[in-house]
Amino acid sequence: AQHLSHLIDDLKILALADAGEIPLIFQSVPPANLLRRTVDAYRMQAEQRGINLVVEIAPGLPDLNVDHDRMAQVLGNLMSNALRYTPAGGAIRLSATQSAGKVLIEVADTGKGIAVEDLPFVFSRSFRGDKARQQENGESGLGLAIAKSLVQAQGGDITVTSQLAEGSTFTIELQIAEQK
């Protein structure tokens, strides 16, 4: 029942995002706040699993024009996946930099990586690169599709690069908030 409830919630978010009706509250948010909140939320899990969390924030980054809670949801999804696929002794790096008038946020892990033939499909609904993994812990398999929809609803984009046995890097490209 809990799994079905989670699945229904995830499908509802995707349907709203697809229809352009997902409720968003845009505000000016420092990228450092997003990363620190994410690390604070996942620090204990990482420590328990023997995974090192690294945060790199370029100095002087401009604020983002995003929905703080929805971006926390996106980063939380990426962190959950990184923790799931990074072995003890590995690392997860969260970083924020500026490039070409946008802020880039990366979540990079030293996990098992994603097969090159699977990369074009990772943001598809219900895609599971790990064929052996079942819907454990009430997961819907929609997390990356939701992340992409939420980022795009905020005028951004999300991409992934990966190499097997070396890890994956998810890059979120977001608009800079207009300066007043």
Side-chain angles (χ1 to χ4, degrees), residues 6-68:
H6 189 213
L7 178 61
I8 289 167
D9 290 343
D10 285 350
L11 288 169
K12 202 181 308 183
I13 290 170
L14 274 175
L16 288 170
D18 287 349
E21 296 179 5
I22 194 148
L24 296 171
I25 302 169
F26 286 94
Q27 55 188 308
S28 183
V29 178
N33 288 6
L34 290 172
L35 297 188
R36 287 189 184 109
R37 177 180 173 182
T38 302
V39 167
D40 288 346
Y42 289 90
R43 179 175 281 119
M44 186 172 291
Q45 260 186 287
E47 288 173 1
Q48 290 171 345
R49 294 175 184 227
I51 297 170
N52 186 35
L53 292 183
V54 178
V55 179
E56 298 172 354
I57 302 168
L61 287 177
D63 287 355
L64 300 169
N65 186 35
V66 295
D67 182 308
H68 189 275

Side-chain angles (χ1 to χ4, degrees), residues 85-118:
Y85 293 109
T86 301
I92 300 171
R93 178 182 52 83
L94 285 86
S95 65
T97 58
Q98 185 174 354
S99 177
K102 302 201 178 203
V103 170
L104 305 178
I105 295 176
E106 290 187 347
V107 177
D109 65 59
T110 59
K112 66 185 216 174
I114 302 166
V116 68
E117 62 270 14
D118 291 340

Side-chain angles (χ1 to χ4, degrees), residues 101-170:
K102 302 201 178 203
V103 170
L104 305 178
I105 295 176
E106 290 187 347
V107 177
D109 65 59
T110 59
K112 66 185 216 174
I114 302 166
V116 68
E117 62 270 14
D118 291 340
L119 284 173
F121 307 104
V122 297
F123 296 108
S124 299
R125 294 171 190 198
S126 299
F127 174 77
R128 291 182 187 280
D130 185 349
K131 310 296 188 254
R133 194 174 125 237
Q134 297 301 314
Q135 294 178 348
E136 59 208 35
N137 301 324
E139 297 168 17
S140 65
L142 297 171
L144 291 176
I146 289 171
K148 186 166 186 86
S149 291
L150 291 175
V151 169
Q152 288 178 334
Q154 296 176 76
D157 196 19
I158 183 170
T159 57
V160 61
T161 58
S162 188
Q163 290 193 14
L164 286 177
E166 291 186 24
S168 302
T169 300
F170 287 84

